[in-house]
Every structure is written in C-alpha cells, then in structure tokens.
Amino acid sequence: MATTTGRTIAARARRGTHHTRARIISPGQFDLALTIESGQAFRYTKENGAYRLRNGAIEVTLRQENDVIICEGADERTARHLLRIDLEHEAGKARLEQDLVLQPIIERYGGLRILRQDMHETIIAFICSANSNIPKIRQNLTLLAQAHGERLPPPGTAINIDAARAAKTGYRAQYIVDTNRMLTRNFVQQLKRGNYEQNHALLRTLPGIGPKVADCVCLYGLDHGEAFPVDVHIFRAMKALFPRAGFKNEREAKDFAQQRWKKDAGLAQQYIFEWARKELSSAKRRPQTKNQRLVKRKKRGVAR
C-alpha cells in the first residue's frame, strides 16, 4: 500500500534538480522501453532512445545502456522506487516463473516491471482509460496538464469543465471534474492508510471509477500487488490461458487470478496484458517455453 515512503520519494523529487543523475544496475532483467510503453504510465515522450517521463511531482529522463539504467532529474533512491528496481520485484517474478502457464510469457516479457506511480495521476489517467486506448489517454493527460502549467491540477481543487473537455476527454470530463473535487485531504489520507479491499471499495465511490479502474489505481498508484485489473483484453486472455476454468464473467477471472497468484497477481496481470496485446490475436494455442517446444518436437521425432 502507499506509505510514508511514497510521500518521501515525491518530496525528494520536488527538491531535486535536472542536474541530479543516477546510474543503476538492476539486480535482474529490466527492459525500460517495454516498461514505459506497456500502458501503465502515459505522460512521456521518447527522443533518441531516451524517455522523458512526468508523473505527479516527478519529472525524469530515462535511458538504458545494456544493463544500466541512467536517470536524470532524480537521485538513485527515487529512481529505484519509481522503476521498482528492488529485490521485492525479483522475488515476485521468481514465484510467478514457477507457474507453467506463465513461464513462456515471462520468458518473452521478463524485463517488464510495474512502475510505482503517483496515486492522483493514476486516478485521472484511468478514468480517461474507459472505452479508450493508450494513444488517446496520453493525449488526454498531455492536454489537461498543458492547461495547468504542465502538471495535473492538485487533488481536491476545482477543474474547469471546459478545460477538461478541451483535453478531448468526452463524457469523462464531468467524471474528472467531480472526482478531483472529491479527493480531499481526508479522502487521500484514507487511501494511503487503507488495505486493498478498503481502498478498492473507497475508490468505487468516486465518479467514473468501476471495478477495473479501481484495480488499476490500487496496483499502479497504491502499490497493492494483489490487484488484478480485468478488461475485455485480460478476460479474453485468461479464457485462452485457462480454457478449463470456464470463466463466465470478469469477476470470476479476477477471483481465479487472485487465488492463484495472491500478492503477485498484479505482476502476473502485467505480463498477461503485454502478451495479450501483442500475441493473443495470432496465437493458436497457449504460449510455450523454449524447453516445452523442444520436448514436443523430440516426441514427434524432429531433431531441431
């Protein structure tokens, strides 16, 4: 859950300057491009292989040189926290690699990580995500931030409805205005203190936030690893990966995932989402690891 650590990291970022620079060697596999472009964060630009990422109070430029991540605009502690370069991630990934269904997906997308993001930004971003797509969400947030000095309006403040509509948010504009007004200091503090179940229920009292968006905020903005957002893509992927489970609806798929992967469900979801959006439409069967494919070929008498 979100803790004092998250608030401290944001404060350190605000005090930092663009001259701050950190070089980080990840203890495990890390793919910066895969992580930034995986539909978690939306306010970024890419130029010459480097990513300029804005998220809450953080504004950094990131690039990868082999196994080294270079971060400009934040110190090493802030960068490690944001990018989840820690042993906690490695332990979760190792547990998921024991799952025979996930093994081949992690083999392809093992460099993917879940960013630790600003809670308020994730709320606004994923309200925009309803019936939308990644390029459109990025446009919504960019335009909304441009109208407020390159930062999203602080929680608890009034957002002009015309500014929200000018950000091309469509019917979501009123949700954004109403929700931001409801994010009072007391409401935000409740979220920072709550557990997953409490926060999921509390988030759903906000306009424009249903079960899936609440799970996105819990996972990306509140660090609840057990959250498992399910949209049409994840539901289709779960049915393809677990055909015998016979999921009838998204809630059944979510319950299955949380029981199977527990506190690593969110990381499993991120791997599955990446596989689903890149491979599911062309996949004829469940993905297999290299070893699984080799065993099948040997059984058929194929040498290579």
Side-chain angles (χ1 to χ4, degrees):
M1 60 181 276
T3 64
T4 303
T5 301
R7 296 194 293 274
T8 303
I9 293 296
R12 289 166 66 91
R14 285 193 294 271
R15 292 196 298 269
T17 71
H18 292 289
H19 300 294
T20 306
R21 194 168 188 263
R23 291 175 60 89
I24 306 167
I25 299 178
S26 172
Q29 187 180 5
F30 187 98
D31 189 319
L32 179 64
L34 188 63
T35 298
I36 297 295
E37 298 182 24
S38 63
Q40 306 178 55
F42 304 97
R43 287 203 298 143
Y44 68 86
T45 55
K46 183 180 181 181
E47 185 176 353
N48 298 324
Y51 292 88
R52 185 182 182 189
L53 175 67
R54 293 185 175 96
N55 192 268
I58 293 176
E59 182 177 336
V60 293
T61 299
L62 302 160
R63 67 179 184 276
Q64 183 167 7
E65 296 178 358
N66 299 317
D67 61 345
V68 177
I69 306 299
I70 300 171
C71 174
E72 297 183 17
D75 60 21
E76 181 174 345
R77 182 181 177 186
T78 301
R80 283 184 177 275
H81 181 84
L82 171 67
L83 300 174
R84 204 176 290 267
I85 300 178
D86 53 37
L87 296 179
E88 179 186 343
H89 167 84
E90 301 304 326
K93 179 185 175 185
R95 287 189 292 268
L96 292 177
E97 285 176 323
Q98 302 305 307
D99 190 304
L100 295 179
V101 175
L102 290 184
Q103 275 183 7
I105 297 176
I106 298 175
E107 188 177 84
R108 292 168 171 80
Y109 304 110
L112 182 61
R113 297 187 180 232
I114 294 178
L115 299 171
R116 288 190 179 97
Q117 300 185 61
D118 177 75
M119 177 194 65
H120 175 243
E121 181 137 345
T122 61
I123 290 174
I124 302 302
F126 285 98
I127 287 177
C128 292
S129 74
N131 301 310
S132 191
N133 55 58
I134 293 173
K136 183 70 184 301
I137 302 165
R138 292 185 62 198
Q139 180 188 50
N140 296 153
L141 292 181
T142 297
L143 292 174
L144 190 59
Q146 286 175 351
H148 296 84
E150 297 300 335
R151 285 192 178 182
L152 296 180
T157 62
I159 298 178
N160 184 282
I161 186 65
D162 292 331
R165 288 172 177 156
K168 300 184 179 181
T169 55
Y171 70 88
R172 307 166 197 84
Q174 193 64 56
Y175 293 152
I176 293 169
V177 170
D178 293 342
T179 288
N180 208 64
R181 187 184 299 115
M182 292 173 65
L183 290 174
T184 62
R185 182 174 182 179
N186 180 60
F187 194 102
V188 170
Q189 288 303 316
Q190 287 185 65
L191 287 172
K192 290 181 177 180
R193 291 192 299 264
N195 60 29
Y196 166 67
E197 289 79 12
Q198 292 168 336
N199 284 344
H200 193 273
L202 187 58
L203 285 165
R204 292 193 61 190
T205 67
L206 297 172
I209 296 188
K212 179 255 183 177
V213 171
D215 269 317
C216 287
V217 176
C218 283
L219 181 59
Y220 305 124
L222 289 166
D223 212 8
H224 293 306
E226 63 267 52
F228 191 84
V230 181
D231 60 7
V232 63
H233 305 292
I234 289 294
F235 185 51
R236 189 180 301 127
M238 288 293 287
K239 289 198 293 184
L241 293 172
F242 302 99
R244 295 182 180 179
F247 304 125
K248 297 182 180 65
N249 52 55
E250 295 178 353
R251 181 54 193 258
E252 288 186 1
K254 173 181 171 176
D255 289 345
F256 176 92
Q258 290 181 319
Q259 290 171 13
R260 187 179 182 96
W261 298 308
K262 299 179 175 60
K263 64 180 180 180
D264 302 316
L267 181 57
Q269 191 269 6
Q270 200 66 34
Y271 289 135
I272 292 170
F273 179 75
E274 197 66 19
W275 170 75
R277 73 190 189 108
K278 291 182 176 177
E279 299 186 45
L280 180 57
S281 61
S282 60
K284 296 181 180 179
R285 58 180 66 87
R286 289 196 321 193
Q288 297 177 324
T289 64
K290 292 179 181 178
N291 286 339
Q292 288 169 339
R293 291 194 297 270
L294 181 60
V295 168
K296 282 198 170 185
R297 291 173 70 87
K298 285 183 176 179
K299 286 182 178 179
R300 294 198 304 266
V302 180
R304 296 182 63 184

